[in-house]
Amino acid sequence: MGILNKIAKPFINLFIFSWDFVLFILNVITPNLKPGHVVPAGHPGHNLQWPEYVPPKEGDSRSACPMLNAMANHGILPHDGKNIPFREMSAKIRTTFNFAPSFCLFVPKFAADFLDRSYWSGKFDLADLSLHSKKAIEHDASLTRQDVALVPDQSKPDLGLVHDLLKQATGTMPDGSPRLTIPDLSRALSKRRVDAERTNKEHYTEDLGHNMFGSSNSSTMLTLFGGSINDLTPMLTEEKFADNWEPRVLSRFGLTFAKFNFTVIPVERGVDKKAIQKLEASENSA
């Protein structure tokens, strides 16, 4: 990262989060978008019509993020997942998932920074985002991937982990189908962190920053997908959009950090590794 970028970074972040708060207020005082009209006209997914799903082929680049992979699998991002401008990713995440523009600037710019590239002119491959370091996004104890020390290729989901997660659902959607809740995700993260620490003894790392990223990634299942198991199953197993899916965030200016934290913080605060360890010890002694 250049010296000028390092100097400018705190000021850029201050601008982004101030902007985000303004958008949060605007969302409160303006009417929501109508269901069925979340994705703007002229963009993939408008009127619930997504481009054809094509699984990745040999040589295609994929990340540890199911949603970015799904965008490539549907051709919203380049299908090979390579040479993607950071600014293009920002724009397409905005229209595909209805994240606020502040969100769509911060996260890709954060990625550009930890890859030591320019957000304004730089490009990346999806696999680059799986960089495992303290300054990056990829973290141990993912709910859909084994730790990178155990499985270096983070491009594909671990279906065992995914199905374990989906079975955690205790809630119910309006149509009667199963739904993940905040306590479900907290419990799943608790179990996953205990298990990852046990199976990845030599290399497991955990800190507040990566734990918050883990809870943030998990919380998209509740915000964008409403916790719906019917919608999450194709996304997490095949990394594709469910038929007739659209983001469940109806806010006119998209999902802001300010609003997102109403989900992320309760999810992370509900994580209780000691309770899981105590339960396992009790079951083992029974």
Side-chain angles (χ1 to χ4, degrees):
M1 192 189 308
I3 184 66
L4 290 178
N5 193 24
K6 288 183 178 179
I7 294 172
K9 185 176 179 180
F11 298 100
I12 293 173
N13 288 344
L14 177 61
F15 164 75
I16 290 173
F17 288 110
S18 299
W19 180 27
D20 186 82
F21 184 72
V22 171
L23 295 174
F24 171 76
I25 297 299
L26 289 174
N27 279 335
V28 173
I29 63 177
T30 56
N32 283 343
L33 299 168
K34 294 181 180 179
H37 298 82
V38 177
V39 177
H43 294 276
H46 180 63
N47 285 335
L48 312 183
Q49 299 298 310
W50 296 98
E52 180 184 4
Y53 168 80
V54 180
K57 64 180 187 300
E58 186 70 27
D60 286 345
S61 183
R62 293 295 184 267
S63 73
C65 175
M67 295 193 303
L68 291 180
N69 292 348
M71 291 176 70
N73 292 339
H74 285 272
I76 300 167
L77 293 174
H79 189 270
D80 66 0
K82 298 179 180 179
N83 296 312
I84 304 169
F86 289 100
R87 296 176 70 181
E88 176 184 341
M89 181 172 72
S90 292
K92 292 188 173 179
I93 288 175
R94 169 87 177 104
T95 57
T96 301
F97 294 108
N98 196 27
F99 279 111
S102 50
F103 209 121
C104 295
L105 171 57
F106 179 84
V107 176
K109 188 179 183 306
F110 184 90
D113 288 346
F114 75 66
L115 292 172
D116 291 323
R117 299 174 194 175
S118 167
Y119 167 80
W120 308 105
S121 61
K123 299 181 180 181
F124 69 101
D125 296 350
L126 287 177
D128 295 339
L129 302 180
S130 297
L131 174 70
H132 186 79
S133 78
K134 289 185 177 180
K135 66 177 184 177
I137 295 173
E138 201 282 327
H139 54 88
D140 287 334
S142 163
L143 293 178
T144 66
R145 265 76 174 164
Q146 293 289 347
D147 292 354
V148 68
L150 305 178
V151 181
D153 180 5
Q154 294 286 293
S155 65
K156 297 178 181 178
D158 182 296
L159 295 182
L161 290 178
V162 170
H163 289 304
D164 284 345
L165 168 63
L166 297 177
K167 288 189 295 186
Q168 298 284 331
T170 61
T172 304
M173 298 294 292
D175 64 1
S177 61
R179 171 181 176 268
L180 283 170
T181 66
I182 286 176
D184 295 337
L185 278 184
S186 296
R187 184 172 59 255
L189 285 167
S190 302
K191 292 180 178 179
R192 183 72 186 98
R193 290 176 190 175
V194 168
D195 183 63
E197 191 170 13
R198 180 170 53 239
T199 57
N200 184 21
K201 291 181 180 179
E202 294 185 12
H203 302 285
Y204 180 77
T205 60
E206 184 180 321
D207 55 43
L208 178 60
H210 279 156
N211 283 349
M212 291 303 296
F213 269 120
S215 290
S216 297
N217 294 339
S218 303
S219 293
T220 60
M221 302 181 203
L222 303 182
T223 52
L224 301 181
F225 295 86
S228 169
I229 298 301
N230 288 343
D231 290 343
L232 286 169
T233 297
M235 174 56 66
L236 299 183
T237 59
E238 301 177 79
E239 300 186 330
K240 66 182 290 189
F241 296 112
D243 293 339
N244 299 318
W245 178 83
E246 71 172 354
R248 292 179 183 266
V249 174
L250 303 180
S251 300
R252 188 163 295 273
F253 294 93
L255 179 62
T256 61
F257 282 107
K259 178 67 173 180
F260 194 40
N261 282 334
F262 282 100
T263 303
V264 175
I265 293 174
V267 166
E268 180 59 31
R269 288 184 64 183
V271 173
D272 189 346
K273 290 170 60 178
K274 290 183 178 179
I276 297 300
Q277 292 166 337
K278 183 177 180 180
L279 177 62
E280 289 183 349
S282 175
E283 291 175 345
N284 291 335
S285 62

